[in-house]
Amino acid sequence: MFYYVALMLVSCFGSFDGSGALSGTPENILIVVIALVTYYWGSATALKAPRINHD
């Protein structure tokens, strides 16, 4: 959920039909940072072993 909300906020302030406060390189860097934070957060909170019972 965090990823989608963060991208919507970047979109609102970005250069693609947004306010234009973020444009070009800063916008792209922010999107990369959001993606990396989401990836590492997901990796850190993932289950260590699957909880599937094959009975």
Side-chain angles (χ1 to χ4, degrees):
M1 201 68 186
F2 164 78
Y3 183 71
Y4 295 117
V5 172
L7 285 185
M8 285 192 302
L9 287 173
V10 171
S11 179
C12 287
F13 295 108
S15 59
F16 298 107
D17 290 337
S19 67
L22 289 172
S23 62
T25 304
E27 182 179 12
N28 292 334
I29 291 172
L30 185 57
I31 290 172
V32 168
V33 168
I34 290 169
L36 288 174
V37 166
T38 305
Y39 174 78
Y40 285 111
W41 181 20
S43 296
T45 59
L47 296 175
K48 301 299 179 200
R51 295 183 186 176
I52 299 174
N53 190 358
H54 294 291
D55 286 338

